[in-house]
């Protein structure tokens, strides 16, 4: 019957170069003819952001950045942008910072230039997320896709190895989830596989030489590929689980993704042999789970949700919230029983192989 699929590629400019962020930002601000720029950066990232923005005129600096983008934080930022007559948003930081810029763009339709300092990948997607009353809502809107992404590996040098690992494995989760997400197709599967290869190469190099450029460049490259794949394929089971764990229980974003990933891979892989083979090939191992677990062992990756405050008492509520959001095309049927078992294993850091064929 041949290949049949429907693929949408998002339009975005990507500028990649170590040590070039300030010059690239100035050139993009000029290209876009922006007159009133709002720079969004957390307090901790502000010194870095000021260096990146050294060659442009900034109308407003905004530092109130909170994980999972609470609605009240978004409303405050939206008001600040409107009051100052902002015509361009620049976000310098990780996923929370990019998420806040997206929250402003969602209602204002202002363009965004994203300058990532982690491997979260949000900068390359048209997905937004907001948290209200302990529930995280996500959606898709092309208005939140940054018009330009400026990648500069030197900006990630201050990211500690432990956080680099968690953030990079968050990118790895985008790659793997894209293999069986609602709109999975051969193009985003190819991007996801190349993202796995780049992250598998880059993260160990960061672990071995935190000040080296090669590992961080490979990780940024892999994070971008992972995000493009995710934006095309949509949100699969892994992301549905992690959005609930983050939005409902306020678990840290990157560490949660890094912890849950092997359990979803073990759960889905036996029911998705083609995807499993592609993932295994990208890792260069006989099977996908072995490849991921060998990498996680090298990196001393996050192991248990209990390390981040999650408790057994919350599992039932998590299952209740996740189940209605599970994609109908998930390779393995999801039930109250097997989702509960998955979360129990992730809670304690149990060997994910217990979920194979569960």
């Amino acid at each position: 019957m041949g290949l049949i699929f429907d693929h949408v590629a998002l339009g975005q400019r990507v500028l990649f170069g170590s040590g070039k962020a300030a010059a690239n930002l100035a050139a993009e601000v000029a290209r876009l003819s922006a007159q009133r720029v709002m720079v969004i950066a957390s307090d901790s990232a502000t010194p870095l952001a000021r260096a990146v923005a050294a060659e442009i005129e900034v109308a407003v600096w905004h530092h109130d950045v909170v994980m999972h983008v609470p609605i009240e934080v978004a409303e405050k930022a939206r008001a600040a942008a409107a009051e100052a007559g902002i015509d361009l948003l620049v976000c310098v930081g990780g996923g929370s910072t990019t998420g806040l810029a997206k929250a402003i763009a969602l209602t204002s339709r202002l363009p965004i230039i994203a300058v990532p300092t982690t491997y979260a990948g949000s900068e390359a997607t048209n997905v937004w997320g907001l948290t209200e009353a302990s529930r995280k809502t996500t959606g898709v809107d092309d208005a939140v896709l940054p018009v330009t992404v400026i990648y500069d590996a030197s900006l990630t040098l201050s990211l500690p190895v432990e956080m680099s690992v968690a953030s990079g494995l968050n990118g790895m989760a985008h790659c793997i989830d894209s293999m069986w997400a609602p709109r999975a197709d051969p193009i985003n599967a190819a991007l996801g596989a190349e993202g796995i290869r780049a992250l598998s190469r880059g993260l160990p190099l960061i672990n071995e030489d935190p000040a080296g450029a090669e590992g961080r460049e490979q990780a940024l490259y892999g994070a971008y590929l992972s995000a493009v794949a995710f934006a095309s394929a949509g949100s699969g089971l892994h992301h549905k689980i992690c959005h609930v764990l983050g939005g409902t229980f306020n678990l840290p974003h990157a560490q949660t993704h890094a912890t849950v990933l092997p359990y979803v891979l073990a759960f889905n892989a036996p029911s998705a042999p083609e995807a499993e083979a592609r993932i295994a090939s990208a890792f260069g191992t006989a099977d996908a789970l072995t490849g991921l677990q060998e990498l996680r062992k090298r990196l001393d990756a996050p192991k248990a949700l209990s390390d981040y405050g999650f408790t057994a008492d919350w599992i039932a509520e998590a299952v209740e919230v996740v189940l209605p959001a599970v994609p109908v095309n998930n390779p393995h049927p999801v039930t109250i029983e097997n989702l509960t078992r998955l979360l129990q294993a992730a809670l304690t850091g149990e060997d994910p192989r217990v979920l194979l064929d569960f």
Side-chain angles (χ1 to χ4, degrees):
M1 193 171 178
L3 287 176
I4 300 175
F5 59 88
D6 181 352
H7 180 85
V8 176
L10 300 177
Q12 183 180 64
R13 189 173 195 190
V14 177
L15 301 175
F16 203 109
S18 295
K20 297 183 179 296
N24 281 336
L25 177 59
E28 283 301 283
V29 170
R31 184 179 71 86
L32 296 170
S33 301
Q35 302 298 313
R36 304 282 296 170
V37 179
M38 178 179 187
V39 177
I40 303 166
S42 66
D43 287 330
S44 62
T46 294
L48 202 61
R50 289 193 177 277
V52 171
E55 299 178 25
I56 67 169
E57 198 169 311
V58 178
V60 173
W61 287 90
H62 190 85
H63 306 300
D64 187 11
V65 176
V66 180
M67 186 172 62
H68 304 304
V69 196
I71 187 65
E72 59 272 16
V73 172
E75 293 290 2
K76 181 180 176 182
R78 289 166 174 170
E83 184 179 341
I86 296 303
D87 60 3
L88 175 66
L89 303 169
V90 175
C91 52
V92 183
S96 297
T97 306
T98 307
L100 182 58
K102 288 182 170 184
I104 300 171
L106 184 64
T107 54
S108 68
R109 322 311 272 181
L110 290 172
I112 301 170
I113 295 177
V115 187
T117 61
T118 71
Y119 312 114
S122 176
E123 68 278 356
T125 80
N126 57 354
V127 178
W128 56 267
L130 290 166
T131 301
E132 184 173 12
S134 296
R135 291 291 184 268
K136 187 169 185 177
T137 301
T138 61
V140 175
D141 192 316
D142 286 348
V144 308
L145 177 74
V147 296
T148 304
V149 184
I150 295 173
Y151 288 111
D152 183 338
S154 68
L155 302 180
T156 70
L157 289 173
S158 61
L159 190 66
V161 169
E162 183 179 348
M163 191 60 205
S164 296
V165 166
S167 182
L169 288 173
N170 179 20
M172 185 73 73
H174 293 327
C175 296
I176 290 175
D177 222 23
S178 295
M179 299 293 178
W180 43 57
R183 299 186 304 278
D185 67 41
I187 295 175
N188 48 51
L191 291 170
E194 177 63 10
I196 291 170
R197 292 186 189 97
L199 288 163
S200 296
R201 180 184 176 195
L203 292 176
L205 289 174
I206 294 173
N207 211 31
E208 296 160 10
D209 181 15
E214 184 182 1
R216 293 184 182 273
E217 286 182 344
Q218 284 295 311
L220 272 182
Y221 168 60
Y224 170 72
L225 292 171
S226 77
V228 174
F230 172 68
S232 172
S235 185
L237 175 63
H238 172 88
H239 283 81
K240 297 304 184 184
I241 293 171
C242 291
H243 286 164
V244 169
L245 296 179
T248 303
F249 306 103
N250 202 36
L251 268 61
H253 184 84
Q255 293 89 339
T256 300
H257 280 270
T259 302
V260 171
L261 179 58
Y263 298 97
V264 175
L265 177 56
F267 182 83
N268 269 345
S271 301
E274 289 187 16
E276 195 276 340
R278 186 185 287 267
I279 296 166
S281 176
F283 279 122
T285 52
D287 67 88
L289 187 58
T290 294
L292 177 61
Q293 290 299 81
E294 286 180 352
L295 176 65
R296 285 169 46 81
K297 184 176 180 180
R298 287 181 69 187
L299 300 175
D300 192 23
K303 297 178 179 64
L305 291 177
S306 59
D307 293 335
Y308 305 101
F310 193 66
T311 72
D313 293 339
W314 293 343
I315 289 178
E317 181 181 358
V319 169
E320 182 183 354
V321 181
V322 171
L323 268 178
V326 172
V328 295
N329 71 326
N330 190 68
H332 190 60
V334 181
T335 65
I336 292 175
E337 292 74 23
N338 59 29
L339 183 55
T340 297
R341 184 69 186 95
L342 188 156
L343 288 173
Q344 287 171 340
L347 171 68
T348 61
E350 194 175 352
D351 187 338
R353 292 187 182 278
V354 300
L355 296 171
L356 292 171
D357 299 318
F358 182 78

